[in-house]
Amino acid sequence: MSADGAGRRRIVVLISGSGSNLQALIDAGDLGGDLVLVVSDRPGAGGLERAARAGIPTVTVPLGDHPDRQAWEQALIAAVAEAEPDLVVLAGFMKILTGAFVDRWPTVNVHPSLLPAFPGAHAPEEAIAWGVKVSGVTVHYVDEKVDHGPIIAQEAVPLEDGDTSDTLHARMQAVEHRLLPEAVALICAGRVTIDGRHTRIQ
């Protein structure tokens, strides 16, 4: 990506499930970039149908088709590289990526907590079990550690009496569907810079 933000970005989206955050990106209008490829590690992922309806090419790279995780990630890298992306967005992608991937392209993720609290796959359940009064949503750059990279945007989501992981996550997803496209648009506009663990919005 050029420093002045000129030109349209090529965006690849990685999914594992229904693709509701992918749909939010599709529905967001002009992100300042184009969704050029959707990749899933699960052949039956519902997000693949969303991509097809939007006319976005899709590729599946199942872990089970490869002898080990390293071989799988190399196949994933090859599939993504074909699209020549400027930005990779993890939208419900449930595999951990190594530096071989995240050092190659700027990669962002959306996570259902106010990081660094509750990283990992069970953040809403853990927030309820811990008894916090406020959790939220984080969009962050991806590094080799789980839910660890520099934070781009966050928004609080209060917990309510009687919340289950499903009811809390539903409210979080409503925020995710707005916050992720906003963050992607800022990146595509060249307005986000990284300074150590800090991001700066121009």
Side-chain angles (χ1 to χ4, degrees):
M1 290 189 285
S2 61
D4 62 2
R8 294 187 64 80
R9 305 303 194 254
R10 295 174 60 83
I11 305 166
V12 171
V13 183
L14 274 54
I15 63 167
S16 293
S18 67
S20 65
N21 276 307
L22 167 64
Q23 190 67 54
L25 292 168
I26 292 169
D27 294 342
D30 189 1
L31 295 166
D34 300 309
L35 304 178
V36 297
L37 180 67
V38 172
V39 183
S40 177
D41 62 316
R42 297 178 181 174
L48 294 169
E49 295 182 8
R50 296 179 189 266
R53 288 196 297 269
I56 305 168
T58 63
V59 174
T60 58
V61 186
L63 178 60
D65 288 357
H66 302 278
D68 53 38
R69 288 187 69 93
Q70 183 177 5
W72 167 79
E73 188 174 47
Q74 288 302 312
L76 179 69
I77 289 170
V80 172
E82 285 287 324
E84 300 181 340
D86 299 299
L87 178 66
V88 176
V89 179
L90 309 187
F93 187 69
M94 301 305 292
K95 294 287 190 297
I96 297 171
L97 299 170
T98 73
F101 189 103
V102 300
D103 292 343
R104 182 158 180 172
W105 301 286
T107 303
V108 299
N109 182 48
V110 61
H111 180 73
S113 80
L114 292 177
L115 292 173
F118 309 120
H122 305 290
E125 297 94 324
E126 291 175 1
I128 292 170
W130 196 259
V132 300
K133 303 302 182 185
V134 176
S135 188
V137 171
T138 302
V139 181
H140 64 98
Y141 282 104
V142 178
D143 61 17
E144 289 192 80
K145 298 181 181 180
V146 175
D147 299 323
H148 176 267
I151 291 167
I152 303 164
Q154 290 184 305
E155 185 170 323
V157 176
L159 275 71
E160 299 177 355
D161 288 344
D163 256 337
T164 65
S165 60
D166 288 340
T167 60
L168 176 58
H169 197 214
R171 294 201 309 282
M172 289 175 164
Q173 281 191 313
V175 175
E176 290 177 7
H177 296 166
R178 174 171 44 78
L179 205 64
L180 180 61
E182 288 175 358
V184 169
L186 286 171
I187 295 168
C188 288
R191 294 179 57 193
V192 182
T193 58
I194 304 174
D195 178 12
R197 278 217 53 86
H198 299 272
T199 61
R200 313 293 186 196
I201 309 298
Q202 307 298 318

